[in-house]
Structure formats: structure tokens, C-alpha cells
Amino acid sequence: MSNVLAELSALEPFRAQVREWLADNLPADWRERMTGADEADHVVFQKAWFRKLMEPGYAAPHWPVEWGGSGMSFAQQIVLYEEIARAGAPRLILYFIALHHVPGTLLHWGTEEQRQRHLPAILAGDEIWCQGFSEPNAGSDLASLRTRAERRGDHFVVNGQKTWSSNAHLARYCLLLARTDPTAAKARGISYFILDLQTPGVTLRPIKQMTGASHFNEIFLDDVVIPAENLIGPEHGGWAVAQSTLSSERGLSVLELAERMREGFKLLIAAAKVPTRAGRLPLEDDEIRRRMVDVRTRIEALRLLVNNQLSAVLKGEAAGVEPSMIKLYYSDLLRDFTELGVSIGGIEAQFLQGVLMGGANETGYWMQDYLYSWAWTISGGSSEIQRNIIAERGLKLPREPQAA
Amino acid sequence: MDFQLTDDQQALVDAVQAILADNADLPQSERLTYCCHDPALQALLEDNGFLGAARSIGPIEAALVVHETAKSLFSIEAMVCGLVAPMTLPDVELAGPVALVTERDLSKAIRNLTVARTLLVDCGDDVVMLPVDQAEVVSVPTIYGYPFGRLIALPDLAGGQRFVGKGAALRQWWRVGIAAEIAGAARAAIDFTIDYVKQRQVFGRPVGSFQSVQHRLVQRHGTVRAGYYLAMRAAWSGSVLDADIAGAHAVQGIQALLFDLHQFNGGMGVTLEYSLHFWTYRIRALQAEAGGITGMALDIADKRWPEPSVPALASEGC
């Protein structure tokens, strides 16, 4: 149908190579080991899997060769992420910020010293990073953040509070946004820093979620000193730097998630073949069957929306509002998918179980999956913000007037 | 993978749109009707080869023609004569327009029968083709945006031309056609509504500047966009599963749109003099033709997961 398809077809030998490597190297018992695993074991396993993936160059396929990455073409990365997802391999969730946001930021805005200091360490598996963007009163409206960084000669002194920082309690460094010019208009007075989380004055408080897990953290910053050499990009120019951070993924993460969801559908089928307490099979229930068809069709629709965005990237076209459409579609679908799992599982799905650490968003522990799906309609730009973006930039609807 | 149109496909779409733009206005006498079928417009599209795209170019192009013609206020029969029939019976020349019915529904009202010259009957394994004698057809009044008709007497299927083993293909392409036609009608209805909410002022600002309106429109727009891609993929791949998925998504996903668009057009949205109903009622007709929201889903579920205890399905997965 297109050059894109032809390009992917030409990569079939590479696909076979990746598939074979995964078959040989993915620990067969990893789900068993990571289900209900404690945090220390999870970190050890993530580091080991990261280093394993580095051997054939699969952990950092998008990094340039001169920085230790594989320098794979975008089409190769598509194939790689598809195969990793189809194999049901662990997600490198502890390394997400380090692998995507850090290079996307430092390679564009960072100094040579910053790159030399951090990029090799990341690929050695030694550095876990987190993000310090959101604040208690600045989530979707990120530009209203109030954490203050005052310049004092060769360093900044930072005071404020960050929140929703995933895996900060396991991280060494943080990509931090703070206000350096309180007199400037919202987005213009912000700067972007590398924060060493071991600096005196940094206090972390894990947030206990309703699922029972503690994935996110609050970060309290009290007179934290950050050397000026840790400023990324121009002083007061951090907003533009943050845009580079947030646009660094180009659709591959959601490709992986969509492909994992396809695989996860098999869990729904398996669950629907387990008799309920009343002795009925959910798979014989017409309403369950109707909802399964609905979810199954939407998974395919999601994949097509993702394909279309990836095609645009391959052709070098601007993404437009496609990422927002896909994020919205995915998070709505994930909620309905996992809710169906809860419906199928009945009360048996609602007892506390061990969580699969580093797994997909569909693990078969349906209540955990369902509750965690709610995070997806909020994080990374809430569904309401995505709808605003699509309405204004995609459908060209008039903006809602600013509040007085 | 890539659903951006090629230059040739874009040229085809542009050409269809140009013809439809030249024939966009309903005659004054038809403004308060439920359905407007213009034989001259149907003939124009046929004479210019657009309804022969499946044979002369391919199924994607035929599906694109269905999608584009579904945007017209006029009821145009492109789905069966342009896509379903040629893909099911590639070696058979049919006189269009063509009506389509399942054998068990022969006594019921049939979409497009009053304008059809040929009737295709889904007889399970086989397909039977019958010429339509309009003297044997009575018009059925309906709000559904298509000309519906009923056969005065049940036809003698033995007297028609039977195509053995073509039933499954007919049902597959029927679903692709419904998905493409719903996607086109829904797209036109959304575009029409977006224009309206940009212009219509309430409380000193456009209706479309309220987030309560924007967000629901965005949701519907996303569903329609996804439905379009699914329809085109099903046309491209020729896969039964893709056709089922496209059909199910179109029929189920579109439901919320039907209410929302009328709601956003306010009081005018529920009047006959307004155009919105041409698209939304047609979508309802297509939903019903597909078996209804639940019926279609269950039919697909029965195909995918016939017996829960059959172990083979576990390996097939989904």
C-alpha cells in the first residue's frame, strides 16, 4: 500500500533476529518472579534486564551511536518495540525517563559536560531518573508552577514542592522545572535543571495509591542548592526545553502499549472461560460477549491510529494533534478494557493479589489494572487537556475565553 | 499501515467531491423530505466511472467512493453497485443501482429497492441475483434517509441467477460497505455540526467555545476517524476479521454521535428543514441493516468464540 509498508517488509530478517533473541534471553519465569515482588527485587531485576537488553543494542535503539546507542532507524525501532511487546517482555519502567526524556533534552539543549556526565552512566544502567514537573497546584496547567529557584552567583537555591513524580524514590536524578523569574509571564520565567536527589534539603514522600502501590512521590525542596552548571538550556528559557522533553517519544511508547493490549486481550478470553460462583461461563453471557467485541474492535482502531502517526513520523511530517487523539483513545480504551476484566472476574477479581512489577497495563489482576487505568486519563496531560488541544488545534473550534 | 491517500487516490476523492459539490443543493421541493435520491446524479457518477472503481482500480478506491458519496445530502447507491457486488462477483456485470437483502428478510422493507434495477439476495452459502421490476415494488414511507421499498410478492429465487459459495464474501463486503458508508455520513454530520457551533452565538460567544461541547465533539470525531481507518483497512486487506471489526466499530461506536450532534445543533437539529437528519437517519438505517448494535456484536462473537470449551481458540487467541 505504501513505501512505509515496503520499508517494514524489508525488515523481516531483523524482526526474526529480535524474536529469536527474545526467545533465547527472556527469562521464562519472569512474571512469576516479579508478581508480588518487593521493590528491591524489582530494581535488581530491572537493572539486570536493562543490561541484558543492552547486549544486542535493544535498550537504547533510538540513541545515537556516538553516545553508546544503536542508532536504529525509526522503522527498525517500530519492529523492535512490536516484538518486545508481543513477547510479553518486561517494560523498562524504571528507565523510562532516563532512556527517553534525558537524551531528548540533553542532546538538544544540554552542555557537552552534562552529556558526558550522564549519558554514558545511563547506558551503563547506573542512573535512574525521574521527572519534577507537576506541583500540587500546577498539573495540567503546568506553566503556573511556583517552585522557586533563586540565582545566587554560581548556584541556584530552590524551594518548593513537586508531586506525582514516578519512581523518584528509586531515582538518583530529577529533571526539574522551577521558576527563576517570578515577574515574567507564566511560561517565560521558568528554568530547567538537573537535580541530584541526594542534595541536602530534598525530602521524598511516597504517595500511597488506592491500588496499594506507591508508584508516585512528592518531592519537597527546602533551600536545595543546584550548581549553575546543572541548568539545561537558557536561564528563564526552560519552557522550550520542556517541549523537547515531552516530544521525545514520537509514538513508539504508545505503539508498545497498543501492541501489549492486543496480547492482553488473550487474558480477557482466558478469564471469560473461568466459571463464576454461580457456575456460569462469562464467555456465554451475551452482554460480556458484546463488550468483548467492542473492546477488541477498539484495540484494532487504536493500532491504526498509532500506525498513522508512525507513518507521519517516518515521512518526516509534523505530528499535529495525532498524539493527543491517540493518548485520549488509549486511556479511554484501557479503562473500558480493564473494567470489562473486573466485570468478568466478578468478586474474585477484587481480592488483593500480588502486583506484576514491570508488566503491561493489562496483567489479569483486574481490579489493580482497572484502578491504575484511571492514572492514564490524568498523567501526561489529562483527557480534558487532550480534548482542548484537539478541539482548538484539530477541529479549529474557538478557544474558551480566559477566566477574568 | 499507512492510510494517507496516494496522489491518485486523492485525485479520485477530489473528483468525486467536485461532482458532489456541483450537485450539493437539494431542490426546493425536496427540502422537507426524508430522502432525496437523484437518478441523474446517480447516473453521472456511474457514467464517469466512479461506481466502477472496484474493477478498474481496486477495493480501497471503491470504498473511498462509498465514503465520499455518503457525505452527500442525496442518497446515492454506491455501496452495493460500487463495492459489494464487484468484490463478491468480480466477473458479473450488474445493472445498478443494486439493493441487497438477506433471504429471511425478503418480505420486509428493503433499502434502495425503489431505485434498484438489481436485487442481490444473501441465501446463506449462495447469492442469488434477480432483476428488479419496479412494477412489483411498493414504496415504504420511512424517515431513514434512503428510498425503502417492499416486494409485492416474494420472488422465485430459483428463477434468479445463483452464485454458489459466494454468500460469505457478500456478507464480508457488506460489512465493509456499511463501515465506509457510516464513516462518510458521520464525517459529514460532524463537519456540518462543527460549522454550526463555530457560528452560532450564545451568551455572547460561539457554542463551540464551551468545553462541554468541544469535548464531546472531540470524542465523536475520534471515533469517526478510527472508523474510517478501519473501513479502509478492511477494504485493503480483504480479511474477514478486518471486515467484522470495521463493521462492529462503525455500528457500536457511532451510537453516541447520533444523539450528540442533534443536541449541539439545538432546536434546529430536530427539524426536518435542517439537513442533519439526512446523515444521522441514514446511519440508523445502516445500523439496523447490520443487525443492530447488539446483534452484530453477538454475530461476530459467535464467529470468534463459538464454544468456550473449544481448546483450539486458546491458541488462536483473539
Side-chain angles (χ1 to χ4, degrees):
Chain A
M1 190 174 180
S2 70
N3 292 336
V4 175
L5 275 180
E7 193 171 348
L8 289 174
S9 299
L11 288 172
E12 283 306 308
F14 174 67
R15 185 184 293 281
Q17 176 189 320
V18 174
R19 194 173 291 179
E20 187 181 342
W21 186 90
L22 286 165
D24 291 344
N25 290 280
L26 180 62
D29 62 346
W30 86 265
R31 289 174 179 277
E32 201 178 306
R33 285 163 56 191
M34 284 297 104
T35 298
D38 64 27
E39 211 139 63
D41 285 347
H42 180 218
V43 171
V44 168
F45 183 80
Q46 284 269 312
K47 287 191 172 182
W49 180 239
F50 175 88
R51 288 175 177 138
K52 192 69 167 169
L53 277 174
M54 278 302 292
E55 290 170 12
Y58 296 164
H62 54 299
W63 283 43
V65 173
E66 62 265 36
W67 288 104
S70 310
M72 286 188 193
S73 70
F74 194 68
Q76 278 181 304
Q77 294 174 53
I78 290 173
V79 170
L80 177 63
Y81 280 104
E82 279 180 346
E83 289 304 317
I84 286 175
R86 287 173 189 171
R91 295 176 63 209
L92 286 174
I93 52 174
L94 295 190
Y95 288 93
F96 185 83
I97 303 290
L99 281 174
H100 296 279
H101 290 182
V102 174
T105 308
L106 290 187
L107 290 175
H108 192 265
W109 298 94
T111 63
E112 186 63 17
E113 188 276 327
Q114 288 169 345
R115 295 171 186 164
Q116 292 287 0
R117 190 186 345 147
H118 293 292
L119 296 182
I122 286 173
L123 289 198
D126 297 333
E127 287 188 3
I128 294 172
W129 286 62
C130 67
Q131 191 182 77
F133 282 15
S134 294
E135 297 182 3
N137 287 308
S140 294
D141 183 15
L142 184 61
S144 67
L145 63 87
R146 291 192 295 192
T147 290
R148 184 82 170 88
E150 286 182 70
R151 180 148 200 149
R152 294 185 191 164
D154 63 353
H155 65 274
F156 292 82
V157 176
V158 184
N159 283 282
Q161 181 186 350
K162 295 288 171 179
T163 192
W164 310 124
S165 185
S166 300
N167 300 312
H169 59 304
L170 304 172
R172 172 66 192 269
Y173 294 99
C174 174
L175 293 172
L176 181 77
L177 288 178
R179 189 165 297 286
T180 41
D181 182 0
T183 64
K186 280 171 71 173
R188 293 196 181 140
I190 292 170
S191 296
Y192 200 124
F193 299 95
I194 299 168
L195 167 65
D196 183 343
L197 290 167
Q198 294 183 356
T199 310
V202 175
T203 308
L204 299 179
R205 191 181 77 83
I207 298 171
K208 190 92 168 170
Q209 297 154 223
M210 62 183 173
T211 58
S214 290
H215 178 68
F216 308 108
N217 296 264
E218 290 178 290
I219 305 176
F220 297 93
L221 303 159
D222 298 302
D223 292 329
V224 174
V225 174
I226 298 182
E229 68 206 41
N230 280 10
L231 176 70
I232 306 176
E235 191 169 347
H236 313 314
W239 191 250
V241 183
Q243 304 315 307
S244 296
T245 305
L246 298 173
S247 62
S248 58
E249 296 165 49
R250 302 197 300 168
L252 289 167
S253 297
V254 76
L255 162 70
E256 187 186 338
L257 292 172
E259 202 58 37
R260 285 182 186 274
M261 190 181 267
R262 258 183 175 171
E263 295 297 314
F265 192 78
K266 292 172 183 169
L267 293 173
L268 274 183
I269 296 180
K273 292 178 181 173
V274 177
T276 65
R277 288 187 173 191
R280 299 191 189 96
L281 285 183
L283 196 51
E284 292 176 337
D285 181 290
D286 279 356
E287 175 59 7
I288 294 292
R289 291 166 78 77
R290 186 195 66 75
R291 288 169 67 187
M292 286 176 68
V293 170
D294 178 51
V295 166
R296 180 72 176 79
T297 59
R298 287 161 65 194
I299 292 170
E300 289 305 307
L302 169 70
R303 189 56 220 270
L304 292 187
L305 290 170
V306 171
N307 285 353
N308 213 37
Q309 184 192 344
L310 296 177
S311 300
V313 173
L314 274 167
K315 291 176 182 170
E317 296 170 357
V321 297
E322 295 292 332
S324 292
M325 287 185 61
I326 292 167
K327 205 270 183 176
L328 187 60
Y329 201 94
Y330 174 75
S331 51
D332 280 352
L333 175 55
L334 181 64
R335 188 190 55 219
D336 291 348
F337 181 119
T338 53
E339 186 180 24
L340 178 55
V342 174
S343 298
I344 289 173
I347 196 165
E348 305 296 338
Q350 303 188 35
F351 299 128
L352 291 179
Q353 304 170 30
V355 175
L356 174 60
M357 307 291 278
N361 291 325
E362 312 83 17
T363 67
Y365 173 11
W366 298 114
M367 185 49 83
Q368 139 77 28
D369 294 346
Y370 177 51
L371 294 178
Y372 193 64
S373 77
W374 297 5
W376 277 90
T377 53
I378 299 169
S379 64
S382 70
S383 293
E384 286 68 29
I385 295 299
Q386 306 301 341
R387 291 187 191 106
N388 285 353
I389 291 169
I390 299 164
E392 291 168 11
R393 299 180 202 166
L395 305 186
K396 310 292 184 195
L397 291 170
R399 286 179 70 93
E400 191 164 60
Q402 297 286 325
Chain B
M1 175 72 196
D2 180 4
F3 290 91
Q4 292 174 325
L5 300 184
T6 64
D7 290 345
D8 287 346
Q9 288 166 343
Q10 189 61 55
L12 173 74
V13 167
D14 291 345
V16 175
Q17 287 178 344
I19 286 184
L20 296 178
D22 289 342
N23 295 272
D25 296 329
L26 292 179
Q28 198 59 35
S29 60
E30 302 284 346
R31 293 209 71 88
L32 291 177
T33 60
Y34 288 110
C35 167
C36 188
H37 175 81
D38 180 0
L41 176 57
Q42 178 86 28
L44 185 62
L45 289 164
E46 185 167 0
D47 293 346
N48 281 282
F50 295 112
L51 304 184
R55 286 195 176 89
S56 61
I57 316 176
I60 297 176
E61 288 72 14
L64 285 170
V65 171
V66 173
H67 181 262
E68 293 309 313
T69 53
K71 295 176 180 174
S72 172
L73 291 177
F74 292 94
S75 162
I76 297 165
E77 199 293 279
M79 180 177 123
V80 189
C81 72
L83 176 69
V84 181
M87 293 311 297
T88 306
L89 308 168
D91 301 324
V92 180
E93 287 293 332
L94 294 92
V98 182
L100 191 53
V101 68
T102 301
E103 184 177 1
R104 67 171 181 273
D105 293 333
L106 272 169
S107 64
K108 297 179 179 170
I110 300 170
R111 188 168 63 89
N112 288 326
L113 190 62
T114 58
V115 299
R117 293 198 290 161
T118 304
L119 177 65
L120 286 181
V121 186
D122 170 10
C123 298
D125 291 340
D126 305 338
V127 174
V128 169
M129 182 170 76
L130 297 163
V132 175
D133 178 356
Q134 286 298 330
E136 300 296 319
V137 173
V138 290
S139 175
V140 176
T142 169
I143 64 171
Y144 279 132
Y146 292 107
F148 272 78
R150 194 188 306 273
L151 293 165
I152 293 170
L154 285 181
D156 175 16
L157 293 179
Q161 192 172 355
R162 180 170 288 265
F163 300 95
V164 176
K166 293 293 186 181
L170 180 82
R171 290 187 291 279
Q172 174 188 340
W173 286 101
W174 196 345
R175 283 192 173 156
V176 178
I178 283 176
E181 187 145 344
I182 285 181
R187 179 59 191 264
I190 280 199
D191 288 347
F192 181 83
T193 303
I194 288 173
D195 281 347
Y196 175 80
V197 300
K198 282 180 183 172
Q199 293 165 20
R200 169 71 173 163
Q201 300 268 326
V202 288
F203 304 111
R205 59 190 174 103
V207 169
S209 69
F210 288 87
Q211 287 187 345
S212 55
V213 173
Q214 291 184 348
H215 287 192
R216 278 157 67 187
L217 264 178
V218 164
Q219 292 292 112
R220 307 307 155 236
H221 177 262
T223 301
V224 172
R225 175 86 75 95
Y228 165 74
Y229 290 143
L230 286 171
M232 292 305 136
R233 184 178 68 167
W236 168 70
S237 72
S239 145
V240 176
L241 176 60
D242 287 347
D244 286 349
I245 285 173
H249 189 278
V251 171
Q252 295 201 70
I254 213 73
Q255 187 62 14
L257 172 137
L258 297 175
F259 172 77
D260 276 357
L261 295 194
H262 282 280
Q263 177 75 7
F264 296 150
N265 283 277
M268 287 306 293
V270 292
T271 65
L272 199 55
E273 65 191 270
Y274 206 54
S275 304
L276 188 62
H277 67 92
F278 284 109
W279 300 297
T280 57
Y281 287 5
R282 268 185 222 147
I283 291 171
R284 287 186 190 279
L286 293 168
Q287 280 182 312
E289 185 170 296
I293 297 169
T294 303
M296 186 177 203
L298 292 183
D299 179 59
I300 292 168
D302 289 347
K303 285 166 66 179
R304 301 301 300 166
W305 314 299
E307 290 291 336
S309 55
V310 176
L313 277 176
S315 59
E316 187 186 336
C318 42

